[in-house]
Amino acid sequence: MVSESFPDPHPRRLLITGGAGFIGSNFTQYWCENYQSDRVVVLDALTYAGNPQNLANLKARDNFHFVRGNICDRPLVDELLKTEAIETIVHFAAESHVDRSILAPDAFIQTNLVGTFTLLEAFRRHFPRIAENNPLFLHVSTDEVYGSLNPDDPPFTEMTPYAPNSPYSASKAGSDHLARSYFHTYQIPTVITNCSNNYGSYHFPEKLIPLMCINILLGKPLPVYGDGQNVRDWLYVLDHCRALETVIHRGKPGEMYNIGGNHEVKNIDLVKMLCAIVDELASDLPVRPSEQLITFVKDRPGHDRRYAIDATKIKTELGWTPSVTVEEGLRKTVRWYLDNRHWWQPLLSEEYQTYYQKLYGNSVL
Ligand code: NAD
Ligand code: DAU
């Protein structure tokens, strides 16, 4: 996707954390395509969710540097900020899956809280070196920090009180509070974005949309939690990247910006839409129509009923709106998973099967 151009006379020096994950790699690709003079350094621990293949095409570029490392490693972060003269941090690195946070919350506290603290503290110490260079710490967060909405509640605004319900969202909420406090206490220019559910290419197979898409292609059951009536607001990942770009150029330090697609869909309706699209686009399906694979399974504990984003602030103050409809975005996404079996097939590893068995039991094998 080509950027609408922002006047940006000086090349930037960015550190992108979590740049080998789903949104981070889409953003890194987007940035490298549109800002070829910028220096881009990616720091990623390559957990199960990070995949160096997502950035393989960038390796040969002079102004791109990939570092495998942990955001909790303070000496490494200090060294990178200094030697690379970083003035913009775009912080994606996180443990991001709610179900994994229920099975094993420890890593969420470590990466999301301690890792964000480590980055903020390193950036604070580094700040005097780059204070004149338009510095920014962009903390990429989630709408899940606001908790759950009832069917008739108005969507989340930036004024909605935080009420996280899972270890994942609680750890993200804590990291948001840390980012906010570094602005108010130390005048470090932090900006927080709270985005709704993303979907698109390079999405790890265990999240709802890629999971359903791949299971349809394999003829496996499609596990829908509870009654399938939970609502999510879906945003195509490149629209999120464009929103973050807009915030980098026009966002005001100390502010929060909600980002959403204005596309609320019930899970069961979304799964049925996906079934219809895959049935249409794929020629050799083991089970057709694929809707017959839908299997209702035990609900996720503490499952938030509904998320919805009011994105008025980013629209009116910064001029961003989503550009891809759910129908269009889902078709692009299905097409990508059809064309990129070589990307996702190796990810269905033994480790993935162990996780799958632990989460779903025997009901959907
Ligand atoms: P992801 O799980 O696909 O990727 C996370 C990346 O972070 C991986 O590459 C992983 O290797 C890396 N990482 C994890 N722990 C690390 C550590 N300790 N040090 C360095 N790297 C580490 O996540 P995603 O879905 O791309 O989400 C990216 C960010 O956006 C997260 O902060 C998430 O909370 C936020 N977010 C996600 C969504 C969504 O729908 N996926 C929506 C709103 C906000
Ligand atoms: O809202 C933003 C959040 O969206 C991000 O902060 C998270 O990082 C991201 O993972 C996503 O969280 P969700 O929990 O909403 O996404 P997930 O894909 O896990 O689930 C989407 C919905 O689908 C949710 O209501 C649970 C349901 N679901 C999920 C899975 C994996 C099922 O019904 N069956 C499943 O097998």
Side-chain angles (χ1 to χ4, degrees), residues 106-145:
D106 312 47
F108 290 72
I109 303 307
Q110 197 56 34
T111 287
N112 300 0
L113 275 172
V114 178
T116 301
F117 168 70
T118 306
L119 286 172
L120 284 164
E121 194 52 14
F123 197 59
R124 175 164 86 92
R125 300 298 179 183
H126 172 64
F127 187 74
R129 294 188 204 114
I130 43 112
E132 305 306 316
N133 299 350
N134 205 10
L136 176 69
F137 188 110
L138 172 52
H139 177 62
V140 180
S141 192
T142 168
D143 60 356
E144 299 205 11
V145 297

Side-chain angles (χ1 to χ4, degrees), residues 53 81 105 136-137 148 190 201 229 231 233 280 304 344 356:
Q53 289 308 315
L81 294 183
L136 176 69
F137 188 110
S148 185
T190 61
S201 52
Q229 300 296 308
V231 173
D233 172 7
E280 182 196 326
D304 288 333
W344 55 262
Y356 203 89

Side-chain angles (χ1 to χ4, degrees), residues 216 220 222 271 274-276 278-279 285 287-294:
I216 297 170
K220 289 181 66 177
L222 309 177
V271 173
L274 267 173
C275 288
V278 182
D279 284 359
L285 289 181
V287 178
R288 189 189 284 276
S290 56
E291 256 194 51
Q292 56 193 297
L293 293 168
I294 292 175

Side-chain angles (χ1 to χ4, degrees), residues 96 142-144 168 197 208 223 225 232 267 300 303 360:
S96 71
T142 168
D143 60 356
E144 299 205 11
Y168 163 66
N197 286 63
L208 181 75
Y225 295 159
R232 295 293 182 267
N267 288 344
R300 170 188 280 177
H303 194 177
Y360 300 103

Side-chain angles (χ1 to χ4, degrees), residues 63 187 196 234 237 243:
N63 51 7
Q187 293 79 51
S196 63
W234 292 97
V237 64

